[in-house]
Amino acid sequence: MSKRYLLECCVDSVKSARCAKEGGADRLELCANLVIGGTTPSLALYEQIRESMDIRIHALIRPRFGDFLYDSDEADVICREISAFRKAGADGVVIGSLNPDGSLNPEQLKRFLDCAGQMSVTLHRAFDMCRDPFEALEQAKALGIDTILTSGQAASCLEGMELLQKLEAAAGTDIALLAGAGINEAAVRTLLAHTGLTRFHMSGKTVLNSRMQYRNPAVSMGLPGLSEYEIWQTDSQAVRSVRALLDAAQ
């Protein structure tokens, strides 16, 4: 029996969503501020993409930049955001929460899952920050989480490939692994050759030069080391090359 490969593309703009769709992505992880790892997108962004194309959309729910240790106010915000995207018709949400000791926070995650209802739920790369990935995997299974997005607790999926193989074996059919971080045509070719992974998460980003002609050199609005005159956008050809590779492998 041939395998069905899934390609998810992480986007933070309408233009990137269109490029991902044109490239052959099966679904979107929609976020804001991808340059800092992604935060919760606005409902307006979700609605504009939903109105313009037919594609599955999973909304990242991350109220701020930084760690995944959330206080009660932040957890309340997350619950409100999940409920808002459920009511808006999103197909899924992407969530995560940790305890100070590096374990998953099952109490908060259970709250988030209850808010999600029948939506698909992905545990995001908070998983890669866990002290014990196999303990976290079993907790995710017990909670009923559908998918874990992971690089194998490494900076890139290829560096984490050994752990990804072990996690794949431990996951069985109870939960899906979605390989992310550094996903491109070359990485997918390697992962297909050495693992049984069937789900891949990429941004396919290219960095565009801002169209601003006047630039004040004395003022910076971005984070240190980041220029507001560089625009991240999904490259449809980067997505298309991975899609073609996956289609050929089926």
Side-chain angles (χ1 to χ4, degrees):
M1 182 182 296
S2 63
K3 294 182 178 180
R4 169 58 181 158
Y5 293 100
L6 181 140
L7 181 58
E8 177 180 273
C9 199
C10 187
V11 303
D12 64 359
S13 69
V14 177
K15 179 62 175 177
S16 284
R18 288 184 180 136
C19 289
K21 171 73 171 176
E22 290 167 5
D26 295 296
R27 74 180 184 219
L28 306 177
E29 183 196 272
L30 183 62
C31 67
N33 303 309
L34 185 54
V35 70
I36 56 170
T39 56
T40 306
S42 69
L43 283 172
L45 176 59
Y46 164 79
E47 290 166 353
Q48 188 164 346
I49 293 172
R50 171 56 71 220
E51 290 166 4
S52 63
M53 68 188 71
D54 180 20
I55 190 170
R56 286 186 64 87
I57 301 175
H58 291 191
L60 173 66
I61 308 297
R62 186 185 179 203
R64 57 164 170 78
F65 172 71
D67 63 32
F68 305 108
L69 178 62
Y70 298 120
D71 63 25
S72 59
D73 290 327
E74 290 171 323
D76 289 344
V77 169
I78 289 171
C79 286
R80 286 173 178 257
E81 289 175 330
I82 293 170
S83 296
F85 278 99
R86 188 192 72 238
K87 291 175 183 176
D91 299 289
V93 287
V94 184
I95 60 172
S97 175
L98 299 182
N99 288 313
D101 65 359
S103 61
L104 288 185
N105 184 328
E107 291 78 17
Q108 284 190 351
L109 289 170
K110 178 64 166 58
R111 283 189 65 197
F112 302 162
L113 284 157
D114 288 344
C115 292
Q118 297 303 307
M119 284 194 294
S120 176
V121 175
T122 297
L123 173 61
H124 59 47
R125 290 187 65 210
F127 176 85
D128 285 329
M129 310 302 285
C130 286
R131 66 182 184 192
D132 184 337
F134 296 100
E135 176 187 58
L137 174 66
E138 293 306 318
Q139 287 180 307
K141 285 183 184 180
L143 285 164
I145 289 171
D146 301 293
T147 301
I148 296 174
L149 170 61
T150 176
S151 63
Q153 295 203 323
S156 73
C157 58
L158 292 185
E159 292 174 80
M161 187 167 65
E162 182 177 350
L163 181 56
L164 283 172
Q165 290 172 306
K166 294 176 180 178
L167 290 169
E168 177 194 353
T173 59
D174 297 324
I175 195 165
L177 292 186
L178 177 63
I183 291 291
N184 54 29
E185 182 181 1
V188 170
R189 193 179 299 278
T190 299
L191 291 172
L192 290 177
H194 296 284
T195 76
L197 293 166
T198 60
R199 296 169 180 245
F200 304 94
H201 169 98
M202 69 184 298
S203 66
K205 80 172 189 301
T206 187
V207 180
L208 305 177
N209 188 36
S210 168
R211 293 183 290 111
M212 284 295 300
Q213 296 177 357
Y214 172 74
R215 303 183 182 190
N216 186 343
V219 179
S220 174
M221 302 297 290
L223 293 172
L226 296 178
S227 170
E228 55 266 40
Y229 299 111
E230 292 182 348
I231 310 299
W232 286 24
Q233 185 176 292
T234 297
D235 179 358
S236 60
Q237 184 53 47
V239 180
R240 189 174 294 113
S241 64
V242 174
R243 177 80 271 165
L245 181 59
L246 296 178
D247 289 346
Q250 290 185 152

